[in-house]
Amino acid sequence: MGMKDRFSPTSLLLATVSHLSVQTWIAYVFASLFLLLGIFVSLSAGDWSWFSRSGSLVVIVGLALTSQQIYEHIETLAHHRPVRNPEGTPLANHDWAKGSGKRGLLDRRYSNEVIWQKEAHGFYLLIVGTAVWGLGDLVGLYLI
């Protein structure tokens, strides 16, 4: 496999798709179903505002995918609060690295990469859903 094959759009897409989490796959499936349902109802009713409304459902899916990570970040922040003495001031001599072996650091790094990946895909769904929501009715007017 040459350099050209390694960076082809197909190979990049396959590499990205193979690393998606189950929640991200489910989000894309639901978003696609909502968009297809919006197209079907719009074609049946002759009213493309239904396709536009399906975009709002894609936004909800994107928010759900993105918000999941917000809750995980809140939990992580709560877990890593500074240790305080009885007077309420932070302990300056707390060793944050103590007890964090190499395996723990690698697990946290992998977990962060998964979280960031979910956030990115949730953001993509928010963009697509908002565009369809705001402009979906124009598809029927100008393209079909």
Side-chain angles (χ1 to χ4, degrees):
M1 178 163 86
M3 182 69 85
K4 184 178 177 182
D5 295 333
R6 191 175 352 167
F7 296 109
S8 70
T10 305
S11 64
L12 289 174
L13 178 64
L14 290 175
T16 301
V17 168
S18 68
H19 295 298
L20 295 180
S21 69
V22 173
Q23 292 92 356
T24 304
W25 273 106
I26 291 170
Y28 277 121
V29 167
F30 273 103
S32 299
L33 288 174
F34 289 143
L35 290 175
L36 290 173
L37 181 64
I39 291 171
F40 175 76
V41 172
S42 293
L43 287 171
S44 299
D47 179 8
W48 282 90
S49 64
W50 288 104
F51 179 61
S52 182
R53 288 182 179 110
S54 71
S56 67
L57 298 174
V58 175
V59 169
I60 291 170
V61 171
L63 284 172
L65 186 63
T66 305
S67 297
Q68 177 186 359
Q69 284 67 248
I70 292 170
Y71 293 119
E72 290 176 15
H73 284 303
I74 290 170
E75 185 178 314
T76 301
L77 288 174
H79 184 266
H80 288 92
R81 286 194 177 139
V83 176
R84 298 185 176 274
N85 62 24
E87 294 83 38
T89 57
L91 292 176
N93 62 351
H94 180 72
D95 185 5
W96 291 101
K98 186 177 181 180
S100 294
K102 187 175 182 180
R103 183 75 226 156
L105 293 174
L106 290 174
D107 288 345
R108 249 191 322 280
R109 180 174 179 212
Y110 174 76
S111 176
N112 285 340
E113 287 175 5
V114 170
I115 289 169
W116 295 332
Q117 196 175 69
K118 287 180 189 175
E119 288 174 346
H121 290 283
F123 184 68
Y124 301 151
L125 287 173
L126 291 173
I127 292 170
V128 170
T130 301
V132 170
W133 192 0
L135 306 169
D137 57 333
L138 299 177
V139 172
L141 290 174
Y142 296 109
L143 297 178
I144 297 180

